[in-house]
Structure formats: C-alpha cells, structure tokens
Amino acid sequence: MYMKRTFFTLLLAHCLMTMTFAQTLEECQQAAEHNYPLIKQYELIDKTTDLTVSNIGKGWLPQVTASAQATYQSDVVSWPDQMQSLYQQMGLHMKGLSKDQYRVGIDIQQMVYDGGTVSSQKEIAREQGKVQEAQTAVTMYQIRRRVNEMYFGVLLLDEQIQQNSDLQELLAANEKKLSSMFRRGTAAESDYHAVKAERLNAVQQATSLKAQRKSLLRMLYTFCGMTPPSDTEKTTLVKPAKDIPPTATARPELRMFDAQLRLADSQERALDAALKPKLSVFASGFYGYPGYNMFEDMMNHRWWLNGMIGARLSWNIGALYTRKNDKAKIQLQRRMTETNRDVFLFNNRLEQITQNENMERYRKLMATDEEIVTLRASVRKAAESKLAHGIIAVNDLLKEVNNENAARLQQAMHEIEMLKEIYDLKYTMGGKSIDN
C-alpha cells in the first residue's frame, strides 16, 4: 500500500511539473477589460447620475427660506400735522411708524406646476450620463485591439520557434551524417563544420525568439492583470477559431453618437419647458415691527405675528429672447454629431475594405503554400542524396534546407496573419463585445 501511494504521489508531481497552462484570446480580452483601471468609471458615472437626478427631483419639495432683518430708514409713513392735531383733540396719541424696523420670518413655497422643467432636467442628466458611459465604452473597446496585437504576436513567435526547432533537427541529422562521412573520409571537415555552424546559428536564433516571446507574453499577462508565469515555455496560447465577422457594423462609437443625439433632443425639449408658465402656492410669516396692520403699528410700537398665504402664477418671457439662438446651437451640435458619425463610418468602411483585401490575399497565398513546401522538401531530399554521392557541395544543401525552412515558416505565418486579419476585421466591424 505504501509503495502504491508513493508511486501515485510521484506520478502527480511529475504531471504538475510537466503541465502546460493554456490561455484563449477571449479569456485574455475579458481579463484585460476587468483589469483596466477605467472600468471603475462605469460605477462612478452611475452614482454621479443618480445623485444629480436625485438633486433635481428635490425641486418638487417645499422651498423654505428663513430670514432676519433689521433696518433704519431715513423717513417713514406718518400722519399729516392737521390729522395729528385732530387725533390729539380726540385724546388719541398717534406716534407714527418708527424709523428702526425689525423682522424674523420664514417663507415656504411649493411648486404645483412647473411646465415640465424638473422632468426635462432629469432627462438631460440621464442622457448626459449615458453619453459619458458610451465614451468610456469606446475607450474600453480599444483594449481588444491591444490584446489582439500582443496575442497574435506571441502566436507568430510560437510558429517561428517551432519552425526553428524543426530546422535544428534537420540540420542536426545532416550534421550527424557528415560527421560519419568525415570519419570515413568521404566528406571534408569543412563541410561538417559548415553544417554545424548553421545549426549553431539556428540555436542562437531560437534563443533570441524565445527571449522575445517571454517579454511579449509577460507584457500580455501584466496588461490582463494576471500573474506572469515563472516558466513561460509551459504557457501556451490557444490558436483562435476562424470566426465569421459580423455583417453589420456595431461599434460602440455608433452608440456614443446615438447617445449624443438623444441628449440634443432632451435639451431641445427643455427649451419648450422653459417657455411654459409655472404655478406655486406659498405661505409667509414673520414676527417683528411693523406688521401688516400699519395703523395699529403707528399707535403701538411693538412686535407682532404676521402671516400670509397665496398662489403665484409666473411666466418668464425672457426665455423667448434666446430661444431661437439656443435652438440653433442645439441643431449645430446635432449636425456636428451626425458629421462625426459619417466620418467614422467612412473611415471604418475603408478599413474594412483593406482588411477584406488582405484576407483574400492570404487565402490565395495559402492555396499554394502546401505545394511549395512539398516541392521544397523534395528538392532538399534530392540535395541530401546528391551530397551523399558527392555531386553537390554542402553549401548547396544548406541553401535548399533554408529554402524549405523559409517555405514552412511562410506557410505558418500566412495562417496566423490570416487569423489576425479575421479578428482585426471582427474588431473593426464591432463583433460581440466582451462585456455583453
């Protein structure tokens, strides 16, 4: 039992040591989006919009104003001298109003009908929030292109490293043959050295390619907010499928333009609301001197409680003065937005044409890649046979080996570049967003 447990423990440890970790393009895009600091902007915009709408809605609450006032006047209402004399004969002493006056009061006003001003301001605040969210989405969408560049860059390096490994194996096999031929005296030592030098040159190229891959892979992991692997050679990127790009453009920029146009519509409706009359009720009260009963205040200089309630209908016709210019400004903003959308669609269409042409070019190249590789391999094998019979020099063989390697590398790179063009077109068309 102990031996069996030990065996399984060693087997598990071996599996963990040799395990490779694979990442897909979609996983990298999602991780990059959630790692990018700008994603916090969505929550901040939502909270700011909610606070703004809440503050605007408080316009329907009673508006309360407390005040205190003390004044001294150069003159006040008083009785004419003849009437003062008449009152004195009647035994009444009319002091008149005092020049120093005081009041402590409170005013309450409740809006009954505002012509739609509050609701239009709420609508504008919400649309402004949607515009900000759309602008953030445009910036966030650009993350996908940056991830694509790094991801397909690693895939290209993977293909180059694989072809380099195949080249090393082929050169090593020929080096072994020439070593044996040299020992038998059927090949010159310089031929053996030439093949060995070419193999060592391929080893150096592999070292450089692996260093580039390690650096680019670490950049990708850091951009995605993931811990870079300690051993990058055990981390592989999954080659994405040849997805079919969408047939219609659905970029976030278009949603941003739509949000800007809706904001202009809301601002135009707010101009209409500003023209409508407003009805409110109010209550006003104060404690002070003088009060509303002026005759009593002329006889008795003391503080009184005073109050008033009523309704007020107001109509600010001043909004008519600037209405024409305000509407013209909104219309200009709308036209600017529509122009920007047309420019974006024009440039986007040109980019789609270029990418479709590149895809067609790669399709044609890939159609003959396999045949070229087969022919190059056949020529290389023939060169190996000729070298073994002393018909050609070793440099001729190396030339054919490099030609075959170049053909295989070109075939692999055409496939990766074709995939990249597909996903670039998908990005240009605005494929399904990773946050949807």
Side-chain angles (χ1 to χ4, degrees):
M1 180 63 70
Y2 174 76
M3 292 296 294
K4 184 181 292 185
R5 190 184 307 116
T6 303
F7 171 76
F8 282 114
T9 301
L10 292 174
L11 180 62
L12 177 61
H14 175 74
C15 290
L16 290 174
M17 291 177 62
T18 58
M19 184 182 296
T20 58
F21 301 92
Q23 295 290 155
T24 66
L25 179 59
E26 290 74 16
E27 289 172 348
C28 290
Q29 288 176 342
Q30 291 173 0
E33 183 189 58
H34 294 116
N35 178 61
Y36 202 64
L38 190 63
I39 196 172
K40 299 176 183 177
Q41 193 82 354
Y42 286 114
E43 183 180 358
L44 297 176
I45 292 172
D46 286 340
K47 289 182 177 180
T48 302
T49 301
D50 290 342
L51 290 173
T52 302
V53 171
S54 177
N55 285 341
I56 294 173
K58 287 179 171 56
W60 282 105
L61 296 178
Q63 305 300 308
V64 181
T65 304
S67 62
Q69 178 178 301
T71 61
Y72 183 85
Q73 300 179 196
S74 61
D75 203 358
V76 293
V77 177
S78 61
W79 295 102
D81 293 338
Q82 295 84 350
M83 294 191 69
Q84 286 276 17
S85 300
L86 180 60
Y87 283 133
Q88 289 176 359
Q89 292 175 8
M90 297 171 60
L92 297 173
H93 180 60
M94 303 298 291
K95 300 178 182 179
L97 293 178
S98 175
K99 291 185 178 181
D100 55 320
Q101 300 181 3
Y102 311 90
R103 65 167 57 190
V104 177
I106 185 170
D107 296 318
I108 302 175
Q109 180 171 304
Q110 173 63 56
M111 184 66 67
V112 176
Y113 174 73
D114 70 342
T117 300
V118 170
S119 61
S120 63
Q121 290 176 347
K122 282 184 177 181
E123 184 181 0
I124 289 176
R126 292 191 185 98
E127 293 300 335
Q128 287 174 337
K130 292 178 181 178
V131 169
Q132 292 176 347
E133 287 183 353
Q135 291 171 340
T136 303
V138 169
T139 304
M140 293 293 294
Y141 186 73
Q142 295 170 0
I143 294 174
R144 302 185 70 185
R145 168 160 282 181
R146 297 173 66 178
V147 171
N148 286 353
E149 293 294 333
M150 290 184 281
Y151 194 94
F152 284 102
V154 174
L155 289 181
L156 280 171
L157 287 170
D158 285 342
E159 293 295 340
Q160 293 179 59
I161 292 171
Q162 180 59 49
Q163 295 304 319
N164 179 274
S165 177
D166 295 341
L167 175 63
Q168 288 186 49
E169 290 182 7
L170 184 59
L171 289 171
N174 281 280
E175 181 183 347
K176 186 176 180 180
K177 291 179 183 178
L178 283 169
S179 176
S180 177
M181 292 171 65
F182 169 65
R183 287 195 300 269
R184 294 197 307 267
T186 56
E189 185 179 14
S190 59
D191 292 341
Y192 165 70
H193 288 168
V195 175
K196 184 176 181 179
E198 193 69 21
R199 180 181 62 79
L200 293 176
N201 183 55
V203 171
Q204 287 185 335
Q205 291 178 355
T207 302
S208 177
L209 290 171
K210 289 178 180 178
Q212 293 178 47
R213 182 185 189 275
K214 180 179 179 180
S215 175
L216 189 56
L217 191 62
R218 285 184 174 272
M219 286 178 57
L220 176 62
Y221 267 72
T222 302
F223 188 76
C224 295
M226 298 183 289
T227 303
S230 56
D231 188 356
T232 56
E233 293 185 5
K234 292 182 180 180
T235 302
T236 61
L237 299 185
V238 179
K239 191 180 297 184
K242 293 182 180 180
D243 284 355
I244 300 176
T247 57
T249 304
R251 287 283 292 267
E253 288 86 348
L254 298 180
R255 294 193 290 273
M256 180 187 68
F257 296 138
D258 290 340
Q260 290 173 343
L261 292 174
R262 289 195 299 269
L263 175 59
D265 294 338
S266 299
Q267 291 171 335
E268 197 165 28
R269 285 191 289 271
L271 292 180
D272 297 333
L275 282 178
K276 296 178 181 179
K278 297 173 177 56
L279 176 65
S280 62
V281 295
F282 65 90
S284 177
F286 70 91
Y287 179 65
Y289 170 85
Y292 293 142
N293 191 340
M294 189 176 297
F295 294 105
E296 183 68 25
D297 292 330
M298 288 182 177
M299 298 175 63
N300 300 300
H301 292 178
R302 63 179 183 178
W303 289 32
W304 306 87
L305 283 172
N306 301 270
M308 179 188 302
I309 61 173
R312 180 180 293 113
L313 180 66
S314 61
W315 185 25
N316 181 17
I317 61 174
L320 288 170
Y321 304 153
T322 60
R323 177 179 172 81
K324 182 178 180 180
N325 290 341
D326 290 339
K327 290 197 70 171
K329 286 171 59 178
I330 293 173
Q331 186 62 27
L332 288 174
Q333 292 175 2
R334 186 181 286 110
R335 289 172 59 184
M336 288 174 62
T337 300
E338 291 172 346
T339 300
N340 290 336
R341 180 174 60 185
D342 291 342
V343 170
F344 171 78
L345 288 173
F346 180 80
N347 292 331
N348 187 269
R349 181 56 184 162
L350 290 179
E351 193 170 358
Q352 291 178 37
I353 292 173
T354 301
Q355 290 165 346
N356 278 308
E357 290 296 327
N358 288 338
M359 289 169 58
E360 184 62 26
R361 175 166 60 89
Y362 285 126
R363 287 192 188 96
K364 292 180 179 178
L365 291 173
M366 291 171 64
T368 55
D369 277 339
E370 185 63 35
E371 184 178 1
I372 293 174
V373 168
T374 302
L375 293 173
R376 288 295 183 187
S378 176
V379 172
R380 185 261 307 166
K381 291 176 182 177
E384 289 176 340
S385 176
K386 291 178 181 179
L387 180 66
H389 291 84
I391 300 175
I392 62 172
V394 71
N395 287 334
D396 295 327
L397 171 63
L398 292 177
K399 178 182 176 182
E400 298 305 332
V401 168
N402 288 327
N403 285 341
E404 180 189 358
N405 177 68
R408 293 185 183 278
L409 181 60
Q410 183 172 266
Q411 180 186 29
M413 294 184 67
H414 284 167
E415 182 182 0
I416 299 300
E417 288 169 347
M418 175 70 173
L419 276 175
K420 185 176 182 299
E421 286 296 334
I422 290 174
Y423 278 83
D424 283 347
L425 179 60
K426 189 176 180 181
Y427 171 86
T428 303
M429 297 288 290
K432 185 178 180 181
S433 178
I434 54 180
D435 60 340
N436 286 347

